[in-house]
Every structure is written in structure tokens, then in C-alpha cells.
Amino acid sequence: MKKASLIKMAAFLAASFAIQLSGAKAALAETAEANYALYCVQCHGSAGTGKGINAPYLAVAPRNHTSDKDMSSLTDDGIALAIKEGGAAVSKSTQMPAWKSVLTDAEIKDLVAHLRKMCKCSFKKP
Amino acid sequence: MKGKNMKKTVVITALLALVLASSQAFAADGAALVKSNKCDSCHKMTGPAVKTLKEIEARKAPDLFYAGSKFNKDWLVKFLQNPSQIRPAGTVYTNFLKKGEQDTVAEPPKCASKLDAGGAAAVADYLMTLKDASMKTGVAKLGEFSKAKAKMLIIKTEACNGCHRIEGNGGVSCPTFEGIGARLNPDFVYNFVQHPQQFDPKIWMAKRELAENDLQLIVNYIASLK
């Protein structure tokens, strides 16, 4: 066997191993899109504008996640904290629940990145 | 033991055995009815609960494999003959969502059970045998409570009404509180509110840190909504 084909084969093995690894990881954590669709859409709405099916019954309007104006004043850490520990932890309404019982820290981090995409804005630097 | 008393004991024991045997026979009939009515085509009748969002999305009806820990039997007997709508937006709201400027929901289906009185009693007997062995029992302490304080907690502080319908008002993404006291075993309410994910790891109700007396206040209020 030539040296070049040996290297190719090693590269192929390494690549398929990496694919297997990342596949295993995907089975454990849910995507930010899927988490948002089940846990957040009920209040924040399918478009993320705060018009979910529960929104008409909330005393405080859910944040419009697509609004540059509303979202760019928040920091990454502040948003992660609001999702993990709930509105009360960031001096906002308790109508925003704490999601740490269903979402892992890694999933929350993914959600923050997802929210940044939704508002097409960068969040405030701490 | 005197002859007369002995006879009495024998008769009572025989009667007791008969009652026990017949309720067991009833539960067995119930299991057969669950099979012949294909309740399991919509409901998960054996555990454990699903653990992925994909499986949640595929859920057609609520899990029944811990029904004996969850429901009051009298309610089951009535419901199975004439099911009412419990979840205004369906079992999994995302499947009935009408997306729009303001999201709304399509009319979701009710339970398909159409058992007669005898069948419903037999199935209820069977469902009551399906227990969650890990659920704490004897924990709900029902008694006098302040309804005003309970409402303050449920509506203001904890905002349960954000998702649950209470006295004609409130969210729609999960079961209504209307008639919930007749429906649910107070011990189940205690356990579920304390940690919803212990029953359903991916359920879209967040766990709350509640003090014991606040939890009891909630359990009492919910039990009173008949």
C-alpha cells in the first residue's frame, strides 16, 4: 500500500470517528430550534414576536425576540440567566419561568445564540 | 370462639373474598377492554416516559401508565363514558398551532373513549392499578385554607394562569384548572407541582422552588376546584 493511500485511510477513519462522536452528542441535547418551538413559542409566539397562544392572558407582555430595540440592551449572560433562573432573577416578571429543570446549560447557551439570530442584533457587551 | 361467632366470621370472610375476587375480575375485564378498544393506539399504557422532543411531538394523548396515581376513580368512570375537553390546545399544543401575527389554535380532538357504564367502571378499576411506585403518597394535607392567599400565589406570584385556565381566564397550552379538583388525586398534584419532570422529563411546565406551605396552599386550592 502506498504511503499516500495510508494517510487517506487514516484521515477517513478519523473523520468517521468524529461523525460518530458528534452523532452521539446530538442524541443527548436538543437543538435550540426544537427547544424554542416547544418551551418558548407558547408565550413568545411562533414568530418570536411575543404573540404566543398564552400571551393574551399574561399580565406582562412576553419579550419580542425579533426586536433589535428590545433585545440589544440585554447581555448574553443576562439572557442566559433569565432563561435558566426565570424573570425574577433579572428583576423582570415572574411570568417568565425558570427553565433549568428541562434545559441544560449547553442548551441554554445554544438558545442565546438562536435568539441573537432571531433579532439579527448583537447583544450588549457586559 | 363460639359456634355462632365462628359462623359469622366465616360468612364475613367469604363475602370479603367474593368482593375482592370480583373487583379483581373487574380489573381484568378492564384490561381486556383497554386492549379491544385500542386505547393504546393513542395513549402510552406502559412506562417509562419518553425523553426526546421528537417523541413528545408524536404524542397523540396523555400517558396513562401512572393513571392509578394520577386520577380520582369516580372522575374516570364519568369521563370514560362521555369525555370532556381538558386541554384547550390539544395534548401537545404545537400540533394544533395556527401560526399567525397572533398565534391561535385549531379545535383539538377529545378522547375517543365511548364506554358504557359497566365498561367504564371496569376500565377505571384497571387504570387505578397502574401506579407510579416512586410517587410520594400521603403528602397532601387538605384542610382549611385562605382562598385569597392561594389566588395571590397562583395568579400573581407564580403566574400559573399564564398557561392554565382558571375560572374562565388564563393560558391554553396545557390542562384547564376547571374541574381539576374532581379529576386529580391531591397527592399527584403535590408531586407534579413540586417536580413536573419527574413524571415527564420533557414537559413544558417549568419546575418551581416552592416552600412547603405554599405548595400545600396550591394543592388545597386545586383540590377545591370541583
Side-chain angles (χ1 to χ4, degrees):
Chain A
M1 207 184 269
K2 272 195 200 140
K3 205 174 172 188
S5 60
L6 256 181
I7 289 172
K8 255 193 213 154
M9 198 156 119
F12 173 75
L13 278 176
S16 59
F17 189 60
I19 287 169
Q20 264 176 10
L21 272 183
S22 64
K25 201 176 144 229
L28 287 175
E30 305 282 356
T31 65
E33 286 79 3
N35 278 326
Y36 193 88
L38 183 66
Y39 299 110
C40 318
V41 161
Q42 51 183 332
C43 294
H44 290 280
S46 56
T49 50
K51 304 275 188 196
I53 53 173
N54 291 337
Y57 310 101
L58 297 172
V60 180
R63 181 75 68 255
N64 177 350
H65 290 154
T66 66
S67 159
D68 188 347
K69 185 171 141 283
D70 284 8
M71 294 300 288
S72 53
S73 61
L74 306 173
T75 63
D76 277 18
D77 288 351
I79 289 175
L81 188 64
I83 299 173
K84 185 173 179 176
E85 304 287 347
V90 290
S91 310
K92 301 276 167 63
S93 167
T94 54
Q95 301 222 331
M96 166 63 196
W99 292 103
K100 64 182 168 195
S101 60
V102 275
L103 302 174
T104 64
D105 284 354
E107 287 176 316
I108 291 174
K109 209 173 152 213
D110 279 356
L111 268 172
V112 173
H114 182 64
L115 291 176
R116 192 186 288 124
K117 268 190 259 159
M118 290 176 75
C119 78
K120 300 188 190 78
C121 64
S122 55
F123 300 153
K124 201 176 127 194
K125 293 278 177 301
Chain B
M1 211 184 267
K2 283 219 189 105
K4 206 172 159 196
N5 266 348
M6 175 95 149
K7 233 189 199 158
K8 234 189 198 162
T9 319
V10 168
V11 170
I12 288 173
T13 317
L15 267 176
L16 217 66
L18 199 75
V19 168
L20 268 175
S22 70
S23 83
Q24 258 165 19
F26 238 55
D29 284 355
L33 281 169
V34 163
K35 224 178 195 159
S36 61
N37 282 280
K38 300 198 169 58
C39 310
D40 68 348
S41 64
C42 296
H43 294 280
K44 202 165 175 324
M45 302 300 301
T46 50
V50 302
K51 291 190 179 62
T52 66
L53 295 186
K54 233 188 157 120
E55 291 164 300
I56 288 277
E57 204 181 300
R59 180 183 284 165
K60 287 192 200 152
D63 290 348
L64 292 182
F65 59 83
Y66 52 89
S69 297
K70 179 172 182 177
F71 300 107
N72 289 326
K73 189 177 144 191
D74 292 349
W75 177 85
L76 277 176
V77 175
K78 275 192 220 139
F79 176 84
L80 295 174
Q81 296 173 65
N82 185 17
S84 54
Q85 190 81 59
I86 300 162
R87 295 163 182 75
T91 300
V92 182
Y93 77 94
T94 53
N95 292 330
F96 301 96
L97 204 55
K98 288 209 270 188
K99 299 177 181 180
E101 170 112 45
Q102 165 64 59
D103 289 345
T104 54
V105 278
E107 185 83 30
K110 286 185 196 163
C111 177
S113 174
K114 279 198 199 77
L115 296 165
D116 60 20
V123 169
D125 264 335
Y126 169 65
L127 291 180
M128 292 310 287
T129 67
L130 306 179
K131 304 272 190 209
D132 178 338
S134 67
M135 189 178 103
K136 290 173 280 177
T137 56
V139 283
K141 304 266 178 285
L142 299 187
E144 297 269 321
F145 72 100
S146 159
K147 201 168 172 172
K149 259 194 184 167
K151 279 180 111 165
M152 188 73 176
L153 184 65
I154 285 180
I155 295 174
K156 275 255 152 57
T157 324
E158 294 297 337
C160 316
N161 60 321
C163 298
H164 293 277
R165 180 142 287 202
I166 302 173
E167 293 171 354
N169 206 348
V172 292
S173 64
C174 54
T176 175
F177 276 1
E178 249 121 81
I180 190 172
R183 189 165 142 260
L184 300 181
N185 170 356
D187 276 341
F188 171 80
V189 174
Y190 180 101
N191 281 268
F192 191 93
V193 174
Q194 192 174 50
H195 191 188
Q197 281 70 37
Q198 115 195 37
F199 292 95
D200 203 349
K202 291 288 184 184
I203 198 67
W204 52 103
M205 168 168 158
K207 175 186 193 300
R208 287 169 169 69
E209 311 296 335
L210 289 162
E212 171 69 16
N213 55 346
D214 284 345
L215 186 52
Q216 293 290 2
L217 198 54
I218 287 175
V219 171
N220 271 278
Y221 176 71
I222 285 183
S224 76
L225 300 174
K226 298 237 158 116

